[in-house]
Amino acid sequence: MFEATRLAPIVGAVMLTLVAGCTTGRVDGVGAAAEINASICPPEAKQPITGDTIEVATSGPLSGSYAIIGQSALAIKAYFDMRNDAGGVQTVDGPKKVDVKVYDDQAVPSKTQSAIQEAVEQDHIDATVGLFGGAANMVVAPYLEKNCVAQAWHLTALEAIAHEYPFAATLSTYSDEGQVLAKFLAEREPDAQVAVLVLNDDPGIESLEGFKEQAEELGIEVVAEETYEATDTSVKSQMTTLAASGATVFLNLSVANVCTQAMNGVMQSSWRPTVYFNSLCNEVSLLAAPDAAKGLTVYRSQYLENPHADTPAMQAYRDLMTENGLEVSTTSLLGYNAAMMAEATFTNAAELSRVGIAESANNLPVDPPDGIGYLPYVRLHTKASGAALEAYAVGQWDLSTSSFANNLTEPIPVS
């Protein structure tokens, strides 16, 4: 069972940081082909890494209001410290230690920018790993791209990062998640009418655009659409409007406590739609709305195992977190996953340099590395333009385990 009291502030803070300050505007040319052009890189970016250490950096809030989110950065360091104790990671040039410099940005993008600039210019890092949040990534991506520093598996799903920066490797996009939900819905309820609640920021809008594009092709009708702002304290009026629509499906693209509000809003009405979430809504939001958890059928797009799943991969993850005094949570699992993906990237690099690491991140094997904690059916297709995940799983809420079932469907591919 999930420990709702312990996880609630963690996941809530994670989701708020994913969206806080992320309204950057769509980047012109998103979706256009992007490839690594090493000819424009400074000479040091193409030089082989000498010595026995790969220097990497990550940044997150280790102090301040969102300090718990720093768990993702600390999980990255804990993973590579463990690998270093075991002799390092395997590379084309033999085993290498990975020195992780963790910077405290307090979830302030300007501090992220200063920290990463220091890491590049003073610490001469070879790559960044698992940098958290859309706003932080949008601030540093142009600088890292200009200096040809590999951005390995940063924790954001913004379209601009995935498509416009070849040196940045990301797993997913909100648009892709929206597509997956529409395809799954079309299989389950081809005559569905959909009502949507969405946060008016880039992640929310990108999710909705992906869903609507696919829904239109599949003949699914969106009959009601309500937005809210990150500063809004209530979505009661929006939920009243959506409930009055009589839609058979509620696409809940809200975040954290608003997701809970929305679910409670459904139960306080006579409306009983099937509910669909993307990754911005989560187990904790349902556990905080117990009546909704009992009374509704709820689906969610996903790709990682439940942190508390009884699998060898998640047991190894939990053991490492416990040894390092870190929370077993969505936050630390994201960092752990980013670290394992980064290790696979270092190992796969044909040439161990900044450019070689970035090229490796764009050419990993299709199957996820062993023990990394992906759900069955998840497939990777790494490339310079676009996110790596080419197929997702969709889970159904299971109240008996307080989690989303892992093996509900065959893979749902991204177009």
Side-chain angles (χ1 to χ4, degrees):
M1 297 286 287
F2 268 87
E3 299 172 59
T5 301
R6 182 163 63 88
L7 287 180
I10 298 170
V11 179
V14 171
M15 296 307 159
L16 285 172
T17 296
L18 274 170
V19 299
C22 283
T23 305
T24 58
R26 298 295 297 272
V27 173
D28 291 341
V30 165
E35 298 294 339
I36 288 175
N37 181 5
S39 67
I40 65 173
C41 293
E44 59 268 23
K46 293 175 276 189
Q47 294 173 355
I49 295 171
T50 59
D52 63 356
T53 303
I54 301 170
E55 301 288 349
V56 306
T58 191
S59 181
L62 305 183
S63 62
S65 301
Y66 296 108
I68 195 64
I69 297 171
Q71 297 271 312
S72 64
L74 296 175
I76 291 169
K77 179 170 175 54
Y79 179 82
F80 280 117
D81 285 349
M82 173 190 70
R83 298 296 292 126
N84 291 343
D85 290 344
V89 303
Q90 294 302 314
T91 77
V92 67
D93 296 328
K96 298 276 188 182
K97 300 293 181 68
V98 180
D99 178 27
V100 181
K101 296 174 173 62
V102 180
Y103 294 85
D104 181 10
D105 62 19
Q106 298 181 324
V108 178
S110 61
K111 293 181 181 291
T112 310
Q113 187 174 32
S114 297
I116 296 303
Q117 186 171 344
E118 176 184 321
V120 172
E121 297 177 10
Q122 297 183 29
D123 296 323
H124 306 292
I125 59 167
D126 303 304
T128 54
V129 175
L131 198 147
F132 205 111
N137 276 277
M138 287 303 297
V139 165
V140 302
Y143 172 79
L144 292 171
E145 193 80 15
K146 178 181 177 181
N147 287 276
C148 298
V149 178
Q151 302 162 61
W153 310 109
H154 285 189
L155 303 178
T156 180
L158 289 177
E159 287 275 300
I161 298 297
H163 288 280
E164 297 299 316
Y165 298 99
F167 275 78
T170 59
L171 277 172
S172 64
T173 69
Y174 299 114
S175 177
D176 287 349
E177 286 192 57
Q179 285 187 36
V180 164
L181 290 174
K183 290 179 178 180
F184 182 79
L185 171 58
E187 292 177 0
R188 284 290 197 274
E189 301 180 58
D191 298 322
Q193 293 185 319
V194 182
V196 184
L197 177 68
V198 59
L199 175 59
N200 186 27
D201 71 346
D202 282 358
I205 298 305
E206 289 180 7
S207 294
L208 181 55
E209 288 178 350
F211 178 88
K212 289 172 72 173
E213 179 182 352
Q214 195 68 53
E216 184 177 358
E217 291 183 13
L218 297 171
I220 297 172
E221 185 180 4
V222 176
V223 297
E225 187 177 319
E226 291 289 317
T227 63
Y228 73 96
E229 303 297 328
T231 53
D232 290 348
T233 57
S234 172
V235 291
K236 184 175 181 180
S237 63
Q238 290 94 325
M239 291 306 301
T240 298
T241 300
L242 294 177
S245 73
T248 59
V249 168
F250 175 34
L251 178 60
N252 188 355
L253 300 178
S254 60
V255 178
N257 64 315
V258 175
C259 183
T260 301
Q261 280 187 39
M263 298 304 294
N264 282 328
V266 171
M267 297 308 295
Q268 290 163 7
S269 71
S270 60
W271 189 33
R272 292 296 179 269
T274 305
V275 181
Y276 285 76
F277 291 164
N278 69 358
S279 60
L280 294 176
C281 220
N282 51 73
E283 291 91 342
V284 171
S285 299
L286 273 177
L287 290 171
D291 290 339
K294 292 176 182 177
L296 296 172
T297 299
V298 183
Y299 297 112
R300 187 187 69 174
S301 58
Q302 53 191 18
Y303 59 89
L304 286 178
E305 290 183 324
N306 183 316
H308 293 268
D310 185 20
T311 64
M314 290 301 96
Q315 185 59 59
Y317 151 75
R318 289 193 295 272
D319 289 346
L320 182 64
M321 296 304 101
T322 300
E323 290 170 10
N324 286 273
L326 301 176
E327 291 281 354
V328 172
S329 68
T330 301
T331 316
S332 62
L333 179 58
L334 287 170
Y336 179 85
N337 176 264
M340 293 191 78
M341 287 293 292
E343 179 180 10
T345 301
F346 300 148
T347 297
N348 187 65
E351 179 183 274
L352 201 60
S353 64
R354 286 187 192 175
V355 171
I357 292 169
E359 289 176 338
S360 174
N362 294 332
N363 292 281
L364 290 181
V366 171
D367 293 330
D370 290 339
I372 203 166
Y374 288 117
L375 292 171
Y377 311 127
V378 168
R379 297 197 303 268
L380 299 179
H381 177 201
T382 57
K383 48 196 175 293
S385 178
L389 286 173
E390 64 172 14
Y392 289 71
V394 175
Q396 181 174 355
W397 178 252
D398 181 350
L399 184 59
S400 68
T401 60
S402 296
S403 64
F404 285 87
N406 286 349
N407 298 316
L408 184 65
T409 66
E410 292 293 318
I412 306 294
V414 176
S415 297

